[in-house]
Amino acid sequence: MSQHTPNAANPDLQADCGNCFGLCCVALPFTRSADFAANKAAGTPCGNLQQDFHCGIHERLRDSGYNGCTVFDCFGAGQKVSQVTFEGRSWREEPGSARTMYEVFPVMRHLHELLRYIAEAMDLAAARPVRRDLRRAYDRIDAMTRDTAESLLAVDVMALRGEVNALLLRASELARAAVPGRKKDHRGADLMGKRLRNAKLRGASMRGAYLIAADLSGADLREADLIGADLRDANLCGADLTGALFLTQPQLNAARGDRATRIPATLQRPGHWAG
């Protein structure tokens, strides 16, 4: 059982590339596109990965055609697999374990993403009625992340996500119930390219909404539930995302914003945003 109080800012749930064996740069495939400058098969090291497992173009990923790398976050799964599951032995040192390590990594990422969401839900004052259940779920999944590679590969990730999602949805409903007025429901909606400039979306459900290239400039997204929302190339200039629920750094990194965009204190303003 975890001995600390989980929270969304927990360093264990944030990527620590210095303690990872470059797993996202090796285990995952990518295809030449607007997001990647070249093709790479799963299990093949990226050509930019150095011997010390650092990225040779990390500071200029976007300029080099690797936008996809800037919107990926393992939520701390990389260092967990590297230092806990495989006890600090890299795929270079033990090539025989490489394939298993690559297979474990995406499973661990799913688990860490769930931990991150649960931790945020537990931070919500309004979620008190489900906090005990959230804590149980957190401890259960946290224990899974410390299990053997074989046990991790046996995890039914989809079933687990379904169980956790029910708790997250309840926490979201409790939190958004405190927002005055009628809340809009855009759960799973196709809003790609929509003009939502200055839209009143406070407390709205935007869960899993497709907001690719949508104009959300000046929109009020305070306390909106944005879990799983696709914000690629969405215009968030001047938007207010204060208190937005389950918003992640990759979502912000995928969007466009400016100095006037208000974001949760636990997240960082992307360096490529205007102004």
Side-chain angles (χ1 to χ4, degrees):
M1 179 176 289
S2 305
Q3 298 302 311
H4 61 278
T5 300
N7 62 76
N10 183 353
D12 290 342
L13 302 180
Q14 299 176 19
D16 178 3
C17 299
N19 281 304
C20 176
F21 299 137
L23 294 183
C24 63
C25 307
V26 184
L28 307 179
F30 52 72
T31 303
R32 185 172 183 175
S33 62
D35 291 322
F36 296 100
N39 295 318
K40 189 191 81 65
T44 301
C46 174
N48 299 305
L49 185 65
Q50 301 178 314
Q51 284 298 310
D52 61 359
F53 303 113
H54 290 159
C55 175
I57 60 169
H58 181 72
E59 300 302 323
R60 56 182 192 282
L61 282 167
R62 286 183 172 273
D63 293 337
S64 302
Y66 285 86
N67 287 359
C69 296
T70 69
V71 299
F72 177 82
D73 192 336
C74 73
F75 300 103
Q79 67 259 28
K80 179 68 72 64
V81 173
S82 299
Q83 303 302 328
V84 178
T85 313
F86 288 88
E87 301 179 326
R89 297 185 297 272
S90 77
W91 46 271
R92 283 194 177 123
E93 294 172 294
E94 296 188 4
S97 66
R99 182 174 178 178
T100 302
M101 186 179 291
Y102 303 155
E103 292 174 347
V104 166
F105 175 61
V107 175
M108 187 71 81
R109 185 189 179 277
H110 280 296
L111 299 183
H112 268 242
E113 182 181 22
L114 289 177
L115 288 176
R116 191 268 184 206
Y117 286 141
I118 296 170
E120 179 176 339
M122 290 179 65
D123 284 342
L124 299 173
R128 185 182 181 90
V130 291
R131 190 164 292 154
R132 181 176 296 179
D133 290 334
L134 287 167
R135 181 67 200 226
R136 285 199 197 100
Y138 188 97
D139 289 340
R140 176 187 169 202
I141 297 173
D142 184 57
M144 287 181 185
T145 69
R146 302 173 194 283
D147 215 331
T148 65
E150 291 72 21
S151 295
L152 284 161
L153 291 176
V155 173
D156 187 337
V157 172
M158 294 308 295
L160 186 61
R161 291 188 78 96
E163 293 174 25
V164 171
N165 186 59
L167 290 174
L168 298 178
L169 179 58
R170 181 59 181 146
S172 169
E173 291 171 342
L174 288 167
R176 292 184 296 112
V179 176
R182 184 176 180 181
K183 275 76 70 175
K184 295 183 179 178
D185 185 359
H186 291 303
R187 183 175 182 178
D190 183 354
L191 300 172
M192 292 190 289
K194 292 291 185 180
R195 291 181 58 83
L196 297 168
R197 185 181 180 87
N198 298 321
K200 306 302 181 184
L201 296 168
R202 185 178 183 186
S205 174
M206 312 294 288
R207 296 170 67 88
Y210 295 95
L211 291 160
I212 302 169
D215 182 4
L216 288 160
S217 57
D220 184 356
L221 288 159
R222 288 176 294 168
E223 291 92 32
D225 185 343
L226 289 164
I227 193 167
D230 193 336
L231 292 169
R232 283 178 293 169
D233 204 34
N235 182 358
L236 296 177
C237 292
D240 190 349
L241 294 104
T242 305
L245 305 176
F246 309 121
L247 178 66
T248 65
Q249 193 64 50
Q251 286 174 298
L252 284 184
N253 291 349
R256 293 178 289 120
D258 60 11
R259 188 174 297 176
T261 306
R262 301 182 67 182
I263 63 176
T266 56
L267 300 177
Q268 297 180 348
R269 190 174 305 276
H272 68 277
W273 280 13

